[in-house]
Amino acid sequence: MATRGRKPTPIELKLLRGNPGKRPLKANAQVVQQTEAALTDNPPAMLLEEAQSYWDYAILHAPRSLLKKLDVYLLAAWCNAAARYEHNMRLAAKSDVIPVRGAKLAGLDAKDRPIMHNPFSAAARSYLKDMTLLASELGFTPTSRARLGALETGSEPENPWLHLGRA
């Protein structure tokens, strides 16, 4: 059974955002310093061979300082799901429905046979669900990146109201 309510915000994010709730932080809470995952790191053994390209792409294009060494197993699961999703989508694209086969149906014309949904479509939907969940956890979706705040500090956005006070 799932726990109710929002997931607790990590102490690191509260400190990054300046503790927006202004509630006292736990005295024994510590900011965990983790090392970043890098291109030179070896992927876990659970990574499928066909998912290697997704691994390389994710490590290369993830926002700076987002992926930590502790996240490599989640990343490998995302890569595996992405590779399997792509494979099943290619198989499902051949036909959305397929005729039911069996010895009892052998005497029927092809047009009279019942049809069923392609099982590759259902498998692809399952992998897409896994990918979406893992992508959200890893900070790969626009919404999850917005929740994390701007990790890559660049120039401050220009205040659109500044020019109103000037004459």
Side-chain angles (χ1 to χ4, degrees):
M1 181 176 234
T3 58
R4 294 178 179 220
R6 288 185 178 183
K7 295 178 184 176
T9 306
I11 298 296
E12 294 91 344
L13 286 181
K14 288 182 181 179
L15 293 174
L16 183 68
R17 295 176 182 159
N19 194 13
K22 304 301 181 211
R23 292 186 177 144
L25 299 176
K26 293 179 182 176
N28 61 350
Q30 299 175 358
V31 176
V32 179
Q33 297 295 326
Q34 299 177 11
T35 55
E36 285 186 45
L39 272 172
T40 56
D41 293 341
N42 291 328
M46 66 181 267
L47 185 70
L48 300 173
E49 188 176 322
E50 57 269 17
Q52 182 67 44
S53 62
Y54 293 98
W55 174 271
D56 296 336
Y57 183 84
I59 292 286
L60 187 64
H61 291 92
R64 204 167 24 102
S65 74
L66 181 68
L67 292 175
K68 305 295 183 189
K69 294 228 185 234
L70 194 58
D71 301 330
V72 296
Y73 291 100
L74 278 178
L75 179 59
W78 179 83
C79 295
N80 288 340
R84 289 180 172 167
Y85 169 74
E86 181 183 356
H87 174 72
N88 281 289
M89 281 304 295
R90 290 187 191 285
L91 294 172
K94 295 178 182 175
S95 175
D96 193 34
V97 292
I98 57 174
V100 177
R101 296 181 184 166
K104 294 180 181 179
L105 302 172
L108 295 176
D109 284 341
K111 62 180 174 128
D112 294 332
R113 285 188 180 188
I115 57 173
M116 66 180 215
H117 284 284
N118 193 332
F120 293 117
S121 296
R125 276 193 302 276
S126 174
Y127 288 123
L128 180 62
K129 189 183 288 187
D130 293 345
M131 282 175 53
T132 306
L133 180 95
L134 291 166
S136 178
E137 289 292 323
L138 287 166
F140 287 176
T141 63
T143 306
S144 61
R145 283 193 301 272
R147 280 191 205 122
L148 289 173
L151 290 178
E152 295 187 37
T153 56
S155 61
E156 290 291 320
E158 186 177 331
N159 187 347
W161 303 104
L162 283 179
H163 73 282
L164 293 176
R166 297 181 188 150

